[in-house]
Amino acid sequence: MALGKATRIRHHIAAGDRHRRAEDYASAGADYVRALALIDRIGAWWQSPLTQLNWARAAADGRTVLGQIDLERGRPDLARHSFEEAERRYAEISYHESADVAIVLNNLGVVYERLGMLVESERALRRAVEIDRLIGRGPEDVAVGLANLALSYQAAGYLDEAGQAIEHAADLAGLKPGTIQRLAEERSFHLMTRGKFAEALVKLTEQFEAATPGSIDAAHLAGNLAQAYAELQNAEMAQRWHERAVEIRRKRQPGSLPLAIALSNLAHSLVGTGDTDEAARTLDEAITLAERIAPQGAELATMRGARAWQLLDAGDPAAALALGERALAAAPGAGRQLTALRLAIAAAYKMLDRPDVARAMLETARDVCERISPVLPELRWVHTMLGEFLLDHGAVDEAAQCFDRAIEVAETMRPGSADEPGLGLLFGTARSAYHGRIEAAWRRGTADDTVVAFHAAESFRARALAESLAQTVAAAPPGGAAAALDAELGETRRRLGALYRRIEAVPDDPLIDERDRLEERAESLRLRLRALDPRSADRDYPKPSTLTEVQHGLDETTTVAIYEVTDDGVFLFAIRRDSFAFTKLEADVADIAAAVAEVGTACHDRAGTAPADALRRLGSWLLGPIADRLGDLAVCADDVLAGLPFEALELDGVALLERSTVWSVPSATILTRFGAERRSRRPEQPFAGFAMPETPGQGPLPASLREVRRVADILGGEPPVVGTDLTVATVRSRAARARYVHFAMHGVIKDRQPLYSGFPLAGEEFLHAYEIAGFDLCADLVVCSACDTAKGESRAGEGTVGLAYALFTAGARAVLVSRWPISDPISARYMRRLYRRLAVGETAAQAVRGVALELRHTHPHPREWAALALIDLGTGRAVE
């Protein structure tokens, strides 16, 4: 009888192993359950202690395998039961410090991590590593345990400990190539958790290109690449890599939980690119697949949470609540995977006017996450939502504490010193917390809170430009692999820029396919070149200036006005050398945006009347709070205020231009940290002018030639370069030596690809913004006398990224760009007067104001006299 049962046990195990290899985990699990039932019965029949011990060990071994099968099928809740039972049975037969127990503990640690039981996960994994070392298991086993421990630390937010675990694993001698590769991938993922996304991209791209095409490993790497691009707010590249991961998993793992997870990730990226209908379809496919494979799995709960948020965005809180409540009831445990679901339910209750239940759900989410780890990444969202709820219900002090906790957690995730303020690349994920903290500070109204609010506003503004200005501008010596890659990258970018212009003129599907291929090639080359240049490693965001530092950098006549646009309203920070004011504008964001749009429409319409009423309203809203301190005014504003001519705003019937010298600055930190610096070298020539009176495919610009020649007559120096003589190489060499640089030609502005904005030159040449950024300028002012050169891509925290950013990166101190098209006669008159003023020693800010005052008397419409915007990195003072 026993021998017959033993045969049946072997049969079930063999069948289970076959099904497991075929990835039929449900059948594999059923076979092992049958085998274990027989093992438990047959083990009790034997009188021999040794035989009983063997059957007891077989029962524990079988439960370990059953747990692994459940883990592979996406059921960590079932796997937990199997592994815990296996651990208990090993303990009964005194297998306390054995390889079997180490394996079980390793698996338990992974299961606990997936269930959000991070304290238990760390405890199990640390014990597994201790046993591995104690009994002398090989480096492979120890490395696997350390890698799992690193993942547990990362999930809990303990990033330093995670990095140490990975490095300890990598230092082990005798590791197999596959293990070395896995650790390299874990290190790349760890770089992302530290906010070093660019460095992670370099590593991940190299690993993807080395992986077997179409392999599961390639799919995993594609998913990590997508996540890195998503964190960098590059939604299009994130979507491409998610699509690639889905494509591979459809071929290699059809009908699997990993495919469902990949589809869910793709749905999230589709929301980021605005394709909400396709996002809903993709997420529904993921949910249907997960329901079939793991109906009680945490992954399904996460997907249902995302679906609930889609319903909320569609304005259906009742449906979101019904789905959320069902999903919460069906989900096992109370782990971190349920956080998004709980937040969606809380939002639905709030929208349905049930605040008590909403608050209770938010506090439950907070308590669960805080118990797991005090630096759990999800705490950013939980405390931010709870803070916003408390603000809405008047609990300002509690709300401020919530926002402080959210920011505290976010700061632990950025690279660099945790005691430095600023969010760096994490601005996109914590913006609401910073804005909420500003609102709470306004409502509390204490002196300390005003400083906190300024600190929050300045922490993330223009961070990318600040990083660029902090870098060494000297070019690396050419040679070797870097030179070859640089040349290929340049050629690929030139082809890509030409393709963008062709697609814009004549959309064509084959061209779009070629564009996608070239974009990926350019990105791959850029990353490879970055890896070869040690100066290109990720740098910390330069520490934002404190309020005291900003004040010390100003003279007695200058006011810095920083406008922070939030969901709660527009806040104004007015800084002078001897005072500081913090206020919230009376008008709401929608009214301000409508008035700004009215001004923009009137100034773009050649026949439109002056938007006098809109300028008066905006003047009252934006300038009224600082009417008593309008000296020289440095304005820092973006979002709905981007492109607004502040100098045209009226206050008490008087245009700001009549009261103040006005210019724009990217941030207070840049103004005080970089604008006050002396030139690195003196210009050799007073002027470098460039004009293209004839550009194929575009209207003639006969006035451009006269414009640059007249400026050259005023300033002296070398004659301007025009027409067929105008090449990228010529512009690079001439502009590098000049104090003033002037472009008079058509400009091509790419809002979605700002690096490919620029100027068409002679023949087929085109001067792109990415090439300009690589110039070495010492110019006090660069004038872009072309249409709409102030435009570009609006990026969170950065403002408008376009030609001006490229010129600042190249070394320019100030840039004059156009807000809208300007007529040739007005442009000629403007430039002639501008350079006459510069020639007698006026600063750029003084000269721009003087010309605008002159033009306003004869051409009162701001379309004419306010078309050009000065962006200056400094305080408007001259630099020796």
Side-chain angles (χ1 to χ4, degrees):
M1 178 76 70
L3 292 176
K5 289 186 181 295
T7 300
R8 289 165 59 193
I9 290 169
R10 287 194 293 270
H11 170 79
H12 287 311
I13 289 176
D17 291 341
R18 285 196 306 273
H19 287 132
R20 188 180 181 189
R21 287 192 295 272
E23 298 184 359
D24 183 359
Y25 299 118
S27 298
D31 284 317
Y32 264 88
V33 168
R34 295 187 189 100
L36 286 168
L38 291 170
I39 289 172
D40 286 342
R41 288 202 295 270
I42 198 173
W45 293 356
W46 298 95
Q47 299 299 316
S48 166
L50 180 58
T51 304
Q52 287 184 338
L53 179 64
N54 288 335
W55 281 113
R57 180 176 177 184
D61 291 345
R63 280 168 172 77
T64 299
V65 177
L66 179 59
Q68 291 169 341
I69 291 170
D70 287 330
L71 195 55
E72 289 164 343
R73 68 186 289 209
R75 292 298 303 272
D77 53 319
L78 298 180
R80 174 189 175 185
H81 173 77
S82 296
F83 289 132
E84 288 179 341
E85 180 64 15
E87 182 188 19
R88 185 185 68 79
R89 295 199 177 215
Y90 282 132
E92 287 179 351
I93 57 177
S94 299
Y95 271 53
H96 298 292
E97 293 175 345
S98 65
D100 293 323
V101 174
I103 291 171
V104 169
L105 289 171
N106 241 315
N107 281 292
L108 259 180
V110 173
V111 165
Y112 287 146
E113 186 270 323
R114 294 190 184 179
L115 292 174
M117 302 167 63
L118 301 182
V119 174
E120 294 84 350
S121 174
E122 179 191 352
R123 186 184 302 122
L125 290 169
R126 289 179 66 86
R127 180 60 180 155
V129 171
E130 290 172 2
I131 292 173
D132 284 337
R133 287 173 167 161
L134 181 66
I135 65 176
R137 294 187 78 198
E140 294 287 319
D141 301 304
V142 176
V144 168
L146 287 169
N148 289 336
L149 182 59
L151 286 175
S152 182
Y153 279 135
Q154 286 170 349
Y158 296 112
L159 304 183
D160 291 338
E161 291 84 349
Q164 292 168 8
I166 294 172
E167 296 308 319
H168 289 163
D171 289 341
L172 294 171
L175 295 177
K176 295 178 181 178
T179 304
I180 294 172
Q181 176 64 24
R182 178 190 170 183
L183 291 172
E185 293 174 13
E186 294 293 347
R187 185 182 286 113
S188 299
F189 183 79
H190 178 67
L191 289 171
M192 285 198 296
T193 66
R194 295 312 308 257
K196 298 188 176 184
F197 303 111
E199 187 178 345
L201 281 175
V202 173
K203 303 295 184 184
L204 288 168
T205 301
E206 292 172 347
Q207 291 158 8
F208 179 84
E209 293 175 351
T212 302
S215 65
I216 299 299
D217 189 45
H220 176 71
L221 288 164
N224 281 342
L225 276 161
Q227 181 178 341
Y229 278 115
E231 294 287 356
L232 287 168
Q233 302 180 40
N234 190 334
E236 292 183 0
M237 287 298 292
Q239 179 179 329
R240 287 189 195 180
W241 281 105
H242 277 312
E243 288 172 340
R244 187 163 296 175
V246 167
E247 179 184 2
I248 295 172
R249 294 198 188 276
R250 283 195 191 278
K251 293 178 180 178
R252 294 296 304 276
Q253 297 174 300
S256 68
L257 187 62
L259 173 58
I261 294 170
L263 286 166
S264 178
N265 292 334
L266 174 58
H268 184 73
S269 70
L270 287 166
V271 171
T273 56
D275 196 347
T276 54
D277 291 339
E278 184 61 25
R281 287 191 291 270
T282 303
L283 184 57
D284 284 342
E285 181 185 355
I287 290 173
T288 300
L289 190 54
E291 285 174 338
R292 187 168 69 247
I293 301 166
Q296 292 181 305
E299 291 83 1
L300 177 58
T302 301
M303 295 175 196
R304 286 172 169 165
R307 187 73 183 95
W309 278 108
Q310 286 184 348
L311 291 169
L312 288 171
D313 290 339
D316 194 349
L321 179 59
L323 171 65
E325 294 283 17
R326 289 197 305 271
L328 190 61
R336 62 187 297 205
Q337 289 88 344
L338 301 182
T339 302
L341 189 59
R342 288 193 171 97
L343 296 184
I345 293 171
Y349 276 126
K350 182 180 178 183
M351 293 174 68
L352 293 169
D353 198 24
R354 298 180 63 184
D356 293 344
V357 188
R359 177 169 182 168
M361 186 61 69
L362 288 170
E363 290 176 341
T364 297
R366 177 201 61 194
D367 294 343
V368 169
C369 289
E370 290 281 9
R371 283 198 300 270
I372 293 171
S373 168
V375 288
L376 192 72
E378 284 88 338
L379 283 168
R380 291 174 292 166
W381 309 116
V382 175
H383 278 289
T384 297
M385 274 195 67
L386 182 55
E388 291 170 343
F389 178 91
L390 292 168
L391 267 184
D392 290 344
H393 291 80
V396 180
D397 291 343
E398 291 179 82
Q401 293 172 8
C402 286
F403 293 128
D404 285 339
R405 277 290 289 130
I407 293 169
E408 178 187 3
V409 174
E411 293 291 353
T412 67
M413 300 176 64
R414 65 182 291 271
S417 173
D419 63 356
E420 286 189 6
L423 257 191
L425 291 169
L426 285 168
F427 166 72
T429 63
R431 178 182 186 181
S432 296
Y434 273 85
H435 282 175
R437 189 63 182 90
I438 293 171
E439 172 70 18
W442 162 247
R443 295 194 191 183
R444 288 169 67 161
T446 69
D448 288 342
D449 275 303
T450 60
V451 175
V452 168
F454 169 76
H455 183 67
E458 189 62 19
S459 289
F460 46 71
R461 188 180 293 277
R463 66 187 184 278
L465 180 58
E467 289 167 358
S468 176
L469 295 174
Q471 295 177 15
T472 305
V473 297
L485 285 174
D486 189 47
E488 186 179 354
L489 176 59
E491 177 59 26
T492 303
R493 280 176 162 170
R494 282 189 286 275
R495 292 172 59 193
L496 189 54
L499 200 58
Y500 283 139
R501 295 190 292 278
R502 288 171 57 194
I503 291 173
E504 188 174 82
V506 184
D508 191 334
D509 286 343
L511 294 181
I512 292 173
D513 291 341
E514 176 69 4
R515 177 203 65 188
D516 292 347
R517 187 186 68 79
L518 286 175
E519 283 181 341
E520 291 191 9
R521 182 59 181 163
E523 179 66 5
S524 175
L525 290 167
R526 183 187 71 82
L527 293 172
R528 288 182 181 179
L529 191 62
R530 183 185 183 91
L532 292 175
D533 184 358
R535 296 175 306 123
S536 294
D538 285 311
R539 293 171 171 84
D540 293 346
Y541 168 49
K543 186 176 181 179
S545 295
T546 65
L547 177 60
T548 300
E549 289 172 335
V550 174
Q551 289 178 311
H552 285 173
L554 302 178
D555 57 29
E556 290 78 5
T557 65
T558 300
T559 298
V560 179
I562 301 174
Y563 295 87
E564 189 64 41
V565 181
T566 78
D567 292 339
D568 294 309
V570 180
F571 294 89
L572 169 59
F573 303 89
I575 309 168
R576 291 183 66 90
R577 187 177 182 87
D578 58 356
S579 65
F580 170 64
F582 168 47
T583 189
K584 185 177 182 180
L585 303 188
E586 292 183 1
D588 63 33
V589 177
D591 290 340
I592 292 173
V596 172
E598 187 178 337
V599 172
T601 299
C603 290
H604 277 83
D605 183 0
R606 301 301 305 172
T609 58
D613 183 58
L615 292 172
R616 282 194 293 270
R617 281 182 282 130
L618 287 168
S620 174
W621 294 334
L622 301 176
L623 303 178
I626 53 174
D628 60 342
R629 61 195 77 192
L630 291 175
D632 294 339
L633 190 64
V635 176
C636 181
D638 54 23
D639 204 277
V640 300
L641 298 175
L644 177 66
F646 272 77
E647 61 271 32
L649 304 186
E650 292 188 7
L651 189 62
D652 298 328
V654 180
L656 178 61
L657 179 72
E658 302 285 347
R659 303 169 180 260
S660 304
T661 299
V662 185
W663 68 99
S664 296
V665 294
S667 75
T669 294
I670 286 175
L671 182 148
T672 55
R673 193 67 56 82
F674 303 104
E677 295 177 354
R678 298 169 66 92
R679 295 193 197 98
S680 59
R681 57 187 174 85
R682 287 185 173 276
E684 301 171 14
Q685 295 289 333
F687 176 69
F690 309 101
M692 280 292 294
E694 297 286 342
T695 300
Q698 304 206 49
L701 296 174
S704 65
L705 184 58
R706 295 192 298 272
E707 184 172 294
V708 293
R709 285 176 174 169
R710 285 173 179 167
V711 175
D713 291 340
I714 293 170
L715 295 178
E718 299 176 333
V721 183
V722 300
T724 57
D725 294 331
L726 199 53
T727 65
V728 173
T730 304
V731 174
R732 181 190 296 270
S733 61
R734 289 286 191 93
R737 305 194 303 270
R739 182 178 184 182
Y740 299 109
V741 178
H742 188 99
F743 293 95
M745 58 191 69
H746 283 291
V748 177
I749 306 303
K750 299 284 185 183
D751 290 351
R752 294 183 64 84
Q753 295 98 15
L755 286 176
Y756 292 90
S757 298
F759 304 104
L761 304 182
E764 296 296 320
E765 288 209 48
F766 191 96
L767 178 59
H768 294 100
Y770 70 80
E771 293 173 294
I772 293 173
F775 286 6
D776 181 15
L777 303 180
C778 58
D780 282 356
L781 176 67
V782 177
V783 177
C784 298
S785 182
C787 294
D788 296 322
T789 47
K791 292 185 176 180
E793 181 184 23
S794 180
R795 293 182 181 172
E798 291 299 320
T800 302
V801 178
L803 282 173
Y805 260 46
L807 288 161
F808 288 135
T809 300
R813 286 182 46 80
V815 175
L816 191 65
V817 288
S818 58
R819 295 182 172 110
W820 47 77
I822 183 171
S823 66
D824 281 352
I826 295 295
S827 177
R829 192 176 307 172
Y830 189 108
M831 296 306 166
R832 185 169 62 250
R833 296 179 179 182
L834 172 73
Y835 284 102
R836 283 175 179 166
R837 289 177 173 274
L838 293 172
V840 298
E842 290 189 9
T843 67
Q846 292 167 342
V848 167
R849 179 186 183 230
V851 174
L853 284 170
E854 294 175 13
L855 284 176
R856 188 168 181 268
H857 290 305
T858 54
H859 296 78
H861 198 303
R863 175 181 56 238
E864 311 294 353
W865 62 268
L868 293 162
L870 178 68
I871 310 172
D872 197 322
L873 297 188
T875 57
R877 293 175 290 185
V879 177
E880 295 300 326

